[in-house]
Each structure stands twice: as C-alpha cells, then as structure tokens.
Amino acid sequence: MATTVSDGSDAANRYRAAQIGLTRLLVRDVRGLRRLILPSRLRESVPDWLAAMNAVVAQYARTSTALAAEFYDAQREAAGVPGPFTVPVADPPPEEQTTASLRWATKDLWPREPEEATPAQLEPMDVRLAQAQKKAEQVAQKLVADTGRGTVREAVRQDRQAVAWARAAALGACYFCKVLATRGAVYEQDTADFRAHDGCHCGVVPVFRGQRFELSPHAREWERIYREYAQGHSGDQLRLFRRALAEHDSNPLPAAH
C-alpha cells in the first residue's frame, strides 16, 4: 500500500522547528560578533568581523546540513523504499559568497560625501550599525538555511527512489511562501531552484516512489483562497492573494511581509 507524505506531517514540523532553533542560536552568535566592528576603525575592524562571521556561518551551515541529512534518511525509511542511499553532504557556502553578502549588509557604514550619500548613509552611526546588524543576521540565516534546503534537494536529485519534492511553509509564512506551498509535489527530481527570501523557514519535503503527496489542511486552505480570489487574474495574482490572505486566512501574515 502506498504511503502518504505531507507538508504538514509531524516529521516536517519537527524538522522546521529544529532549523528555526538553529537560527536562534546563529542569530545569538552573530550579535555577539557585533563588538568586533569599531566605528572609529572600520577599515581595520571590518575584515576581522568578516573572518569571524565566515567561520560562524560555515559552522552553522554544517549543522544545518546534518539536520537535513537526518531528516531525509528518516523520510526515506518511513517511505519503505528499497536499497541503500547516502545523503550527499553539502559544503558550507563559499567564503566569497558569504563575504560578498556581508559586505552588502555593511555597505552603509562607510562614510560618504553628503552629496553622494543615500538617506541611509546619512543616518547617525549607531542607526547604521543597527541596520547593518539586522541585515547581517538575515544574510547569515539565509545562507545557513539554504545549505540545509540544498542538501535535501540534492539528495532527491541523486536518489533513484526519489521522484519529487514539495515546499513546506509555516502557518505564519508570508504570502510568497504560501502560494508556492500550495503547488504540492510539483518540483520534480531534477528541479534545483528553491526561491527563498531572508528569514524564510520553509522546508523541503522529499517524495519517494510509491508515495502519495497530500497537502496539509492549512495548505489546502491557502490553495482554496488562491483559486477563489487570485487565480485567473494574470499579472495581479500575488497582490490579490496577499489581500485575500489578510482577510480570510486564519493564520496571519507576518508584519514584515
């Protein structure tokens, strides 16, 4: 008998909770490194901060990968598919990628001539530092979470017993994630793309041969809202879906989205 897998299963929820817990620890450590940036010595201190941040991101990315591999193995065992498989362990993001993302996060710290500066760059230094800190946390979170998500996607691609993957969105996810989650297991084995934003905690649920994918009750509700209020309005679906969610979804959208 075919087994059923869902984006709202206990296993998917536990995995998402584990990744969110990892994010909390990551943010704690990222905030602790803020002391390395000395406003009076930006040119000397920012490189030290970048090096420390690269080490922290790499450390947490390896943990994210381990959680993802454990989740995939458990899902594969629950599906009862035959044959052994070793989940390919993803490497942490390249140092160049992490550094480039963090340089973007801190770009407003550097002094500019008033006529060349943006409004953000004209703010007092303490405001700019706070903004840079927030951006750095978001950058680090996405880099780490993407490593875990990439591990599951790559495992699906390499595993002959896997056929697709589905997106699992949290109840309070943004409208963008919710509409993608309503699509179910349409992401085939060779699909590499996973569209995520900063702060995205969506997960990847593998689907194996002989399994039947079933949307969770909340994803089915999002699907109903999309069909009723947004489908068929070419070019305006996301705006209409977002508005409909605000009015009809029992799980509110986060304020940031």
Side-chain angles (χ1 to χ4, degrees):
M1 177 181 291
T3 60
T4 300
V5 63
S6 172
D7 59 297
S9 68
D10 289 343
N13 291 335
R14 285 194 301 270
Y15 173 55
R16 185 189 304 110
Q19 291 286 6
I20 291 174
L22 186 67
T23 291
R24 293 194 185 103
L25 296 175
L26 169 66
V27 169
R28 178 202 64 188
D29 287 355
V30 168
R31 288 176 179 172
L33 294 178
R34 156 68 184 82
R35 69 185 188 280
L36 296 178
I37 298 180
L38 306 177
S40 62
R41 300 177 60 243
L42 287 177
R43 192 171 300 278
E44 295 81 9
S45 62
V46 167
D48 292 338
W49 175 79
L50 287 172
M53 284 288 294
N54 263 287
V56 165
V57 167
Q59 172 191 349
Y60 277 92
R62 283 189 285 269
T63 303
S64 181
T65 293
L67 289 172
E70 182 180 340
F71 170 68
Y72 189 90
D73 283 339
Q75 291 294 97
R76 198 176 193 276
E77 181 178 355
V81 296
F85 178 74
T86 301
V87 176
V89 178
D91 293 326
E95 185 173 329
E96 302 79 26
Q97 179 186 2
T98 301
T99 298
S101 298
L102 292 170
R103 287 194 183 281
W104 167 83
T106 55
K107 64 183 176 61
D108 292 335
L109 291 180
W110 302 93
R112 305 283 201 292
E113 294 297 330
E115 61 273 12
E116 298 176 353
T118 65
Q121 293 162 351
L122 292 174
E123 294 283 357
M125 177 55 78
D126 60 335
V127 174
R128 285 184 279 153
L129 280 168
Q131 293 171 341
Q133 177 66 42
K134 182 177 181 180
K135 290 178 181 177
E137 292 171 10
Q138 293 172 337
V139 162
Q141 182 274 333
K142 187 174 186 301
L143 288 168
V144 168
D146 280 349
T147 306
R149 289 185 285 247
T151 295
V152 178
R153 293 199 325 275
E154 182 60 20
V156 170
R157 191 183 71 82
Q158 293 189 25
D159 189 352
R160 293 185 179 182
Q161 296 298 330
V163 294
W165 56 269
R167 188 185 190 107
L171 292 178
C174 72
Y175 69 97
F176 171 82
C177 293
K178 287 180 176 179
V179 75
L180 293 179
T182 65
R183 297 176 180 176
V186 300
Y187 305 99
E188 297 182 354
Q189 189 178 36
D190 59 353
T191 303
D193 186 38
F194 186 102
R195 300 173 65 191
H197 55 78
D198 292 341
C200 177
H201 293 293
C202 287
V204 180
V205 178
V207 181
F208 299 94
R209 295 188 188 282
Q211 279 193 314
R212 178 171 56 88
F213 181 82
E214 188 175 273
L215 284 177
S216 60
H218 54 267
R220 287 200 303 271
E221 176 65 6
W222 300 335
E223 182 185 35
R224 182 195 66 78
I225 292 172
Y226 181 83
R227 286 200 314 267
E228 184 172 346
Y229 296 98
Q231 192 174 48
H233 298 273
S234 180
D236 206 22
Q237 293 99 324
L238 282 179
R239 184 188 67 83
L240 292 173
F241 182 58
R242 181 178 183 177
R243 188 173 69 182
L245 285 173
E247 297 176 0
H248 305 286
D249 187 13
S250 57
N251 302 290
L253 290 166
H257 300 288

